[in-house]
Amino acid sequence: MNKIVMQTDFGCMPSAMVGVCKIVDPALKVYPVAFDVPTFNIEKAGNNLVEVIPYWPAGTVFVSVVDPGVGTSRHASVALTKTGHYIVTPDNGILDIVDKALGIEAVREIDQSVNRYHGNEWSEKSDIFHGRDIFAYCAARLAAGQIDFAGVGPEYPEIVRL
């Protein structure tokens, strides 16, 4: 399961996110979905995932960071789809789109005490680059087999609905 497929609304390849993945496991392969999702466009991000996921093998880890709620109390989550794929994303409506199209088996909240990057002072102090410090790091640990789905954190029952 050493593949990560990533999308953001940053407008460019998020090299810091890829770098964190490579710190976790240099053998991880990171592929793009899109880095030009219109800013904060949750619907476009969800639809991108729905269009791409079926063409990847079960076990592939997807990272989707299109996050109008960065720095807020929204859940940082990992969803397991009924097709056997993982989606690491803020729970902000993206998962609702995926659930309606592909189905979601379960969702877990990322336990940031163990699944957050703490490699330097910027990561320790930052509350705004969750793509790097939480989502990419947790995705890399999952893709590298350092944690299983249960190791992400506690399950929670209901995702955000659009």
Side-chain angles (χ1 to χ4, degrees):
M1 171 176 33
N2 63 355
K3 291 182 247 357
I4 297 175
V5 182
M6 194 176 290
Q7 78 172 347
T8 72
D9 59 356
F10 303 163
C12 62
M13 180 72 164
S15 60
M17 290 172 63
V18 175
V20 165
C21 292
K22 295 292 189 171
I23 287 170
V24 170
D25 183 349
L28 287 174
K29 296 184 180 8
V30 182
Y31 302 92
V33 171
F35 300 119
D36 60 351
V37 174
T39 303
F40 302 146
N41 192 326
I42 292 166
E43 186 174 335
K44 177 66 173 159
N47 287 330
N48 283 350
L49 290 172
V50 167
E51 292 172 9
V52 170
I53 286 173
Y55 299 100
W56 287 85
T60 300
V61 178
F62 291 81
V63 177
S64 181
V65 183
V66 177
D67 190 10
V70 68
T72 68
S73 62
R74 52 83 182 110
H75 290 287
S77 64
V78 179
L80 172 60
T81 67
K82 290 186 177 179
T83 58
H85 301 88
Y86 299 94
I87 303 170
V88 184
T89 189
D91 184 5
N92 58 16
I94 290 172
L95 294 176
D96 182 40
I97 295 166
V98 173
D99 186 36
K100 287 174 181 168
L102 303 174
I104 291 180
E105 189 75 31
V107 181
R108 294 185 172 274
E109 183 168 11
I110 296 172
D111 179 350
Q112 294 182 39
S113 68
V114 293
N115 291 315
R116 180 185 174 115
Y117 181 66
H118 293 288
N120 58 48
E121 66 180 279
W122 298 283
S123 296
E124 298 291 331
K125 296 176 183 176
S126 174
D127 198 29
I128 59 168
F129 201 174
H130 291 171
R132 175 194 65 210
D133 299 333
I134 300 169
F135 300 111
Y137 183 73
C138 184
R141 295 193 72 219
L142 185 61
Q146 294 179 6
I147 58 171
D148 60 10
F149 186 54
V152 166
E155 192 169 343
Y156 65 97
E158 187 58 39
I159 59 174
V160 171
R161 300 291 179 180
L162 294 177

